[in-house]
Amino acid sequence: MPVQRAECKCSNTVHHAYLGVQSTEMNGETKSEAMDYISTAIDSCFGQNSKMSYETAAQYIKENMDKKFGPCWHCIIGEAMGFSVTFNTGNMIYVYMGGKLAVLLFKC
């Protein structure tokens, strides 16, 4: 299982969060952009003065992916979840951040 390291800067301390890729069918550029959007959104959820919810974070990821790679992206963020989805070939990523928070991003 490939793991990409991301740094989360919250207030004056630096926390290390890891994006563990569980499954992906994305090419390099799409995957890199998706990982950046996911890291940014989730980091915003856990900041000390954060007002961003999981729903808002998912919306942020979806809207940025729609702008960059065209519509119809879907993003689901949660804990202890399972799924079965149909997606366009080459357009799905499923990651864990911090060990228990899951993010599913796909295009259909």
Side-chain angles (χ1 to χ4, degrees):
M1 160 176 48
V3 175
Q4 180 174 335
R5 184 172 169 267
E7 282 192 8
C8 168
K9 295 182 180 179
C10 304
S11 65
N12 294 331
T13 60
V14 177
H15 304 280
H16 298 287
Y18 292 91
L19 290 178
V21 178
Q22 293 296 109
S23 179
T24 187
E25 285 198 14
M26 289 183 172
N27 67 31
E29 179 192 0
T30 308
K31 181 180 173 184
S32 177
E33 289 289 328
M35 299 284 273
D36 287 345
Y37 293 137
I38 291 167
S39 292
T40 300
I42 298 303
D43 288 350
S44 296
C45 281
F46 294 110
Q48 278 192 330
N49 298 317
S50 174
K51 294 183 175 125
M52 187 180 275
S53 65
Y54 289 164
E55 182 178 346
T56 308
Q59 183 177 0
Y60 168 85
I61 296 165
K62 181 232 182 313
E63 288 175 354
N64 281 289
M65 291 297 287
D66 281 348
K67 286 178 193 171
K68 180 85 177 183
F69 300 104
C72 291
W73 287 91
H74 303 275
C75 183
I76 302 165
I77 300 175
E79 298 177 23
M81 65 179 206
F83 66 91
S84 177
V85 296
T86 301
F87 56 89
N88 290 355
T89 302
N91 290 296
M92 187 278 296
I93 190 166
Y94 180 52
V95 300
Y96 272 96
M97 188 160 189
K100 70 178 196 174
L101 183 66
V103 179
L104 172 64
L105 177 64
F106 64 98
K107 184 176 186 176
C108 62

